[in-house]
């Protein structure tokens, strides 16, 4: 496989790993709360990110990148936005089903395309724009539930859409940080991930020590499932960052909508939530959008 198609492979692997991590975090929310379950992906993911950087350095013989002045604002934006995005996503999962929550957060590609154009100068071709709109329309079809009304129905929508916006800022921030570094794409992407996780784990640990120390104790007591969630989070993030090093944020996050398909599988086989005709229609639109995306790139 040529480097030109590697980003697509990396994205699909990342989406599958992220689905597993999201499912595990959803379960951890019941015992650790939103803040605790959010912290798990960063605290337990950081050691795996360090191992990845060390392995790449040993195997390739490359030196670690030297962060420059442009790197830090981007990586801080990415890290802070991802913390907020994850917390909002888990809060939304407490209000609605797993697959619907994931669908709400996946309104992200349109926002990524806009932010990428504004902040990174990454232009969108007409075919790529069509792919983004069709795939996002599929997500909206899956999200809309006829006959739903009331505050409780607006709350998960607001939380999910806000989460999608924060994930969009996170994607732009991390891609900007990767582009600011010099070096081979495996090293610069893995190094950026390790720095981002260090910032996130440190910030959330300090916050929990200040406000909710009992949660830190609960996290350590739940170390077995937390370790798995951290590993899957680090695995997903590693491949997201590799994809960001090779393709625009808009292309990566649009192809990432395959996560909705994976989430539908988890919803059906793990949580026992059946797919409706509307879900099938939405999935079909997502598939069409993904095919157009791959054709456009």
């Amino acid at each position: 496989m040529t480097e030109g198609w590697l980003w697509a492979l990396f994205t699909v692997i990342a989406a599958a790993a992220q689905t597993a991590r999201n499912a595990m975090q959803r379960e951890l929310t019941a015992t650790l709360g939103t803040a605790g379950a959010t912290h798990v992906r960063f605290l337990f993911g950081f050691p795996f990110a360090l191992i990845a950087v060390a392995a790449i350095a040993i195997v390739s013989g490359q030196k670690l990148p030297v962060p420059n002045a442009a790197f830090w604002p981007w990586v801080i934006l990415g890290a802070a936005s991802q913390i907020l995005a994850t917390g909002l996503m888990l809060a939304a999962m407490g209000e609605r089903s797993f697959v619907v929550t994931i669908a709400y957060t996946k309104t992200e590609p349109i926002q990524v395309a806009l932010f990428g154009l504004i902040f990174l100068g990454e232009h969108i071709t007409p075919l790529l724009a069509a792919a983004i709109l069709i795939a996002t329309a599929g997500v909206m079809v899956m999200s809309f539930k006829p006959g739903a009304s009331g505050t409780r129905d607006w709350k998960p929508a607001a939380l999910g859409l806000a989460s999608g916006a924060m994930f969009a800022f996170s994607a732009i921030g991390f891609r900007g940080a990767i582009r600011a570094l010099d070096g081979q794409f495996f090293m610069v992407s893995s190094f950026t991930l390790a720095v981002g996780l260090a910032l996130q784990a440190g910030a959330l640990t300090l916050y929990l020590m200040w406000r909710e120390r009992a949660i830190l104790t609960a996290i350590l007591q739940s170390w077995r499932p937390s370790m798995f969630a951290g590993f899957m989070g680090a695995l997903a993030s590693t491949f997201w960052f590799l994809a960001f090093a090779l393709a625009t944020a808009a292309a990566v996050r649009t192809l990432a909508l395959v996560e909705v398909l994976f989430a539908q599988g988890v919803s059906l086989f793990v949580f026992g939530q059946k797919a409706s005709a509307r879900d099938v229609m939405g999935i079909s639109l997502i598939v069409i959008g993904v095919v157009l995306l791959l054709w456009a790139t």
Side-chain angles (χ1 to χ4, degrees):
M1 179 176 290
T2 65
E3 186 174 298
W5 280 96
L6 276 177
W7 74 270
L9 175 62
F10 292 155
T11 300
V12 172
I13 294 173
Q18 183 162 293
T19 301
R21 187 210 66 207
N22 287 341
M24 180 59 69
Q25 282 189 291
R26 183 181 192 263
E27 297 300 303
L28 287 171
T29 303
T31 56
L32 302 180
T34 299
T38 300
H39 191 29
V40 160
R41 70 169 292 187
F42 305 126
L43 181 64
F44 287 87
F46 177 56
F48 294 110
L50 285 181
I51 292 171
V53 171
I56 291 172
I58 292 171
V59 172
S60 67
Q62 296 181 63
K63 295 181 179 180
L64 295 180
V66 179
N68 51 37
F71 172 80
W72 291 109
W74 285 120
V75 77
I76 290 171
L77 171 65
S81 299
Q82 194 173 50
I83 290 175
L84 293 173
T86 304
L88 289 166
M89 178 189 70
L90 293 175
M93 283 181 180
E95 299 288 335
R96 290 294 293 272
S97 74
F98 178 80
V99 69
V100 171
T101 297
I102 295 300
Y104 281 135
T105 66
K106 293 309 170 187
T107 56
E108 169 194 357
I110 292 178
Q111 301 174 74
V112 169
L114 178 61
F115 298 154
L117 175 62
I118 295 172
F119 297 111
L120 298 176
E122 296 181 340
H123 295 281
I124 305 299
T125 65
L127 189 56
L128 178 55
I132 293 171
L133 291 174
I134 291 172
T136 303
V139 172
M140 293 296 94
V141 167
M142 294 180 68
S143 302
F144 177 73
K145 301 296 176 184
S149 60
T151 303
R152 181 171 172 79
D153 295 310
W154 280 102
K155 185 177 179 180
L159 290 171
L161 291 172
S163 175
M166 289 299 100
F167 274 125
F169 274 117
S170 177
I172 294 302
F174 285 132
R175 171 143 169 89
I178 290 169
R179 288 177 53 176
L181 296 177
D182 293 324
Q184 199 265 354
F185 77 93
F186 271 101
M187 175 56 80
V188 297
S189 59
S190 298
F191 178 82
T192 301
L193 171 60
V195 172
L197 285 174
L199 293 173
Q200 292 164 326
L204 275 177
T205 296
L206 291 174
Y207 171 79
L208 292 175
M209 288 179 65
W210 173 46
R211 298 296 300 270
E212 301 181 71
R213 291 194 177 189
I215 291 180
L216 286 176
T217 302
I219 289 173
L220 294 177
Q221 291 174 342
S222 303
W223 68 270
R224 290 181 184 276
S226 296
M227 185 69 72
F228 176 72
F231 170 75
M232 295 307 297
L235 181 65
S237 295
T238 295
F239 283 98
W240 285 133
F241 280 48
L242 288 171
F244 285 144
L246 297 176
T248 65
V252 172
R253 299 312 292 169
T254 301
L255 181 56
L257 290 176
V258 297
E259 184 187 348
V260 176
L261 310 185
F262 297 148
Q264 185 66 63
V266 171
S267 183
L268 175 62
F269 296 111
V270 178
F271 301 126
Q273 298 163 344
K274 301 296 179 65
S276 66
R278 187 174 295 275
D279 291 332
V280 173
M281 182 185 301
I283 288 170
S284 299
L285 287 172
I286 292 171
V287 171
I288 293 171
V290 166
V291 171
L292 281 177
L293 168 70
L294 296 177
W295 188 15
T297 54

